[in-house]
Amino acid sequence: GEDVEQSLFLSVREGDSSVINCTYTDSSSTYLYWYKQEPGAGLQLLTYIFSNMDMKQDQRLTVLLNKKDKHLSLRIADTQTGDSAIYFCAESITDSNYQLIWGAGTKLIIKP
Amino acid sequence: NAGVTQTPKFRVLKTGQSMTLLCAQDMNHEYMYWYRQDPGMGLRLIHYSVGEGTTAKGEVPDGYNVSRLKKQNFLLGLESAAPSQTSVYFCASSYSGDKPHHNQPQHFGDGTRLSIL
């Protein structure tokens, strides 16, 4: 079945770039999403990319999609303490309008 | 804009007690979802609804029931709470489906933290 995988933790120094990676198995995915969950809060949609794109940039965020390798990444430039959170990758699949397949989330830890 | 509102935010129950978690959305979304989040396991779908009056099972439905009597509300019930149901519960909603493959991100509430003793 469909699967989305992420590393559970990433540790970076404040001011460096963070790159959070995600791999997925369904080649028919349409949209891929990044969500952010701050401690004690719900999930917020951070950004998304349509499957016919290979890059999307939004201020400090850059999303890269490699469809051949089924690899998605989220780069956060100039990482700040406010970026500490869990980041979830999710994909929508073409045979379902409603279902998202979720990764387990990557906890981003910022070192001073 | 309220978005998705969950009540209550926190609850402690004793084993065997029952309770209902309420989710309300004001975005006129067709689809609604209940997830549970446990450490290291990401989000697991409990039940979902694709419209008023319809519900369906997700990945982990056992021990839970749901109802969608009104489009804006989605209720999650625990008939006889068990310690294994201690978790954080999230409700989400998304726009429907008359546009296949349309961008339909899910919008989340802030969660209900439930402890079963």
Side-chain angles (χ1 to χ4, degrees):
Chain A
E2 304 89 1
D3 197 16
V4 174
E5 294 193 354
Q6 302 178 240
S7 300
L8 290 183
F9 298 97
L10 175 67
S11 179
V12 298
R13 292 203 178 279
E14 190 175 356
D16 287 352
S17 291
S18 306
V19 180
I20 303 170
N21 295 302
C22 172
T23 57
Y24 59 96
T25 56
D26 192 325
S27 57
S28 65
S29 60
T30 53
Y31 285 88
L32 293 121
Y33 301 93
W34 284 105
Y35 282 80
K36 177 183 181 183
Q37 184 184 31
E38 295 183 3
L43 281 73
Q44 293 175 274
L45 179 65
L46 204 54
T47 187
Y48 63 89
I49 189 167
F50 187 48
S51 57
N52 70 352
M53 299 168 63
D54 51 21
M55 187 180 92
K56 180 179 180 182
Q57 190 147 5
D58 183 2
Q59 299 183 331
R60 291 192 298 123
L61 305 178
T62 303
V63 178
L64 295 178
L65 176 60
N66 181 328
K67 279 198 81 169
K68 175 176 167 287
D69 295 337
K70 300 191 184 76
H71 183 265
L72 180 74
S73 67
L74 173 70
R75 178 177 179 268
I76 306 172
D78 187 25
T79 308
Q80 303 298 309
T81 54
D83 296 322
S84 288
I86 301 175
Y87 292 81
F88 289 92
C89 166
E91 64 164 341
S92 64
I93 52 179
T94 53
D95 63 354
S96 168
N97 281 343
Y98 62 83
Q99 190 174 5
L100 294 183
I101 311 299
W102 294 88
T106 299
K107 185 170 185 177
L108 179 61
I109 299 162
I110 315 300
K111 297 181 288 189
Chain B
N1 265 355
V4 179
T5 304
Q6 291 183 236
T7 52
K9 294 190 188 308
F10 304 93
R11 187 73 185 266
V12 178
L13 290 179
K14 294 181 180 176
T15 298
Q17 286 186 315
S18 63
M19 80 161 294
T20 301
L21 281 65
L22 174 64
C23 176
Q25 53 95 2
D26 62 3
M27 295 173 283
N28 201 34
H29 283 168
E30 292 289 339
Y31 297 157
M32 296 187 75
Y33 314 82
W34 277 106
Y35 292 93
R36 60 178 289 174
Q37 184 181 29
D38 301 291
M41 299 188 73
L43 294 175
R44 290 186 291 169
L45 183 64
I46 304 171
H47 287 279
Y48 64 94
S49 168
V50 299
E52 182 180 317
T54 71
T55 63
K57 293 179 180 179
E59 182 187 352
V60 289
D62 294 343
Y64 304 96
N65 56 75
V66 287
S67 64
R68 183 102 181 265
L69 299 178
K70 293 184 178 180
K71 185 176 181 178
Q72 63 268 34
N73 295 337
F74 195 29
L75 278 62
L76 177 72
L78 285 73
E79 287 186 350
S80 180
S84 61
Q85 294 177 304
T86 293
S87 188
V88 182
Y89 291 87
F90 287 102
C91 176
S93 70
S94 68
Y95 181 63
S96 88
D98 62 343
K99 294 182 182 179
H101 318 313
H102 183 65
N103 183 16
Q104 300 184 35
Q106 294 179 10
H107 301 263
F108 284 79
D110 288 337
T112 295
R113 282 143 187 84
L114 184 61
S115 293
I116 318 293
L117 304 178

